[in-house]
Amino acid sequence: MARIQASRVVWDSLFTLVFPASCRVCQSAIEGFTPVPVCPACLRAARPYAGLECAGCGLFLRGNAALQETLYCGLCLQGAFVFEQARSFGRYEGVLRSLIHHLKYDGFRPLARPLGKLLAHTVQRLDAPVFDLVLPVPLHSKRQRRRGFNQAALLAAALSAELSAETSPVSGIRVRTEDCVRVRDTRPQTGLRAAERRKNVDGAFEVPRPERVQSRRLLLVDDVITTGATVNACAQALLDAGAGRVSVVTLARAHPEDADVL
Ligand SMILES: [Zn+2]
Ligand SMILES: [Zn+2]
């Protein structure tokens, strides 16, 4: 496994050396060699969401952000989520969507690094950005083997490195990829209604060693959040195992009807 990963890393870097670097998003030529096949202008074009959001789950809301009110969405008011708070960098569209695609489906792993910076920015939008551990939302082992990596784990590692590099209240937090595992290979959430999504992922996660998360403040990381059903099921497993609290950050927030959210 380690060998396969090492050879992929070599391949990723060879790829950038052998082929002339052109930006995968806007197709313009990139000056010099770069491990990231996206130009600086496109990386800068991914802007954080600046509108109103639900104070709980971070759902993007319509309305005037200047009002600075504390607002909750209908689901949060019903107590639908067990995680403390969730925040997403931006909408699942445009450049951000394209960057996530290149990481996830085209396997451009070096993209995790600039995307980790966006996540570090997002962490600061949580009310209490202090954590003991960072955990990626796990993929089922079958799916991870097929893809060769878990994009959420790459993002969690990049985020942790970013936070450790800053003078930040969350510096030096560890990433644990093995503390929450996916025990059921769920079908893609695409096309499912909210209630079906919750049922689809119910009981899909397990915490093999509860003592490792006991009373810990956890930060769950994923690339995209849609209805929140997946992160909620994951948070439920961690809280059942004794976690102190679970917060969530994702790069993007997608509409349930976005066809390519898996
Ligand atoms: Zn570009
Ligand atoms: Zn909410």
Side-chain angles (χ1 to χ4, degrees), residues 23 25-26 28 39 42:
C23 174
V25 178
C26 72
S28 69
C39 76
C42 283

Side-chain angles (χ1 to χ4, degrees), residues 53-59 61 71-77 81 83 87 253:
E53 60 194 359
C54 168
C57 72
L59 181 73
L61 303 169
L71 294 171
Y72 289 93
C73 73
L75 283 172
C76 283
L77 289 173
F81 300 119
F83 51 80
R87 292 292 179 267
R253 183 168 282 275

Side-chain angles (χ1 to χ4, degrees), residues 231-247:
V231 287
N232 197 56
C234 198
Q236 184 70 66
L238 290 160
L239 290 166
D240 288 348
R245 70 170 156 80
V246 180
S247 304

Side-chain angles (χ1 to χ4, degrees), residues 39-240:
C39 76
C42 283
L43 287 175
R44 280 196 303 272
R47 303 300 307 154
Y49 175 74
L52 273 184
E53 60 194 359
C54 168
C57 72
L59 181 73
F60 296 162
L61 303 169
R62 284 197 204 97
N64 187 350
L67 293 175
Q68 302 263 325
E69 287 175 87
T70 303
L71 294 171
Y72 289 93
C73 73
L75 283 172
C76 283
L77 289 173
Q78 289 167 32
F81 300 119
V82 296
F83 51 80
E84 185 108 337
Q85 276 189 313
R87 292 292 179 267
S88 307
F89 178 81
R91 287 189 198 282
Y92 188 57
E93 62 186 19
V95 173
L96 186 59
R97 180 175 178 150
S98 182
L99 293 173
I100 293 171
H101 268 233
H102 287 309
L103 170 70
K104 194 168 167 179
Y105 303 117
D106 302 333
F108 286 119
R109 299 176 194 212
L111 272 177
R113 202 164 159 198
L115 292 173
K117 288 187 200 293
L118 306 188
L119 284 172
H121 182 283
T122 311
V123 163
Q124 302 309 323
R125 289 189 2 228
L126 292 164
D127 288 344
V130 184
F131 307 97
D132 303 308
L133 297 171
V134 179
L135 273 67
V137 170
L139 284 180
H140 189 267
S141 54
K142 212 164 73 184
R143 197 176 297 204
Q144 182 156 338
R145 268 200 303 278
R146 216 178 302 141
R147 187 171 293 168
F149 62 96
N150 174 7
Q151 72 283 356
L154 297 181
L155 292 170
L159 168 63
S160 171
E162 195 59 37
L163 294 175
S164 303
E166 294 171 5
T167 316
S168 149
V170 277
S171 62
I173 42 171
R174 281 170 297 168
V175 180
R176 291 267 187 80
T177 51
E178 69 281 16
D179 282 353
C180 183
V181 294
R182 203 154 184 149
V183 288
R184 203 151 53 71
D185 192 15
T186 53
R187 63 185 174 123
Q189 300 276 64
T190 314
L192 300 183
R193 290 165 188 276
E196 293 170 327
R197 283 174 178 249
R198 279 196 293 278
K199 206 167 152 211
N200 190 32
V201 289
D202 192 29
F205 300 96
E206 262 179 32
V207 180
R209 295 176 62 189
E211 71 279 6
R212 288 164 64 113
V213 299
Q214 193 79 45
S215 307
R216 298 300 181 103
R217 297 164 298 183
L218 309 178
L219 179 62
L220 261 181
V221 176
D222 209 353
D223 52 344
V224 184
I225 188 170
T226 308
T227 60
T230 303
V231 287
N232 197 56
C234 198
Q236 184 70 66
L238 290 160
L239 290 166
D240 288 348

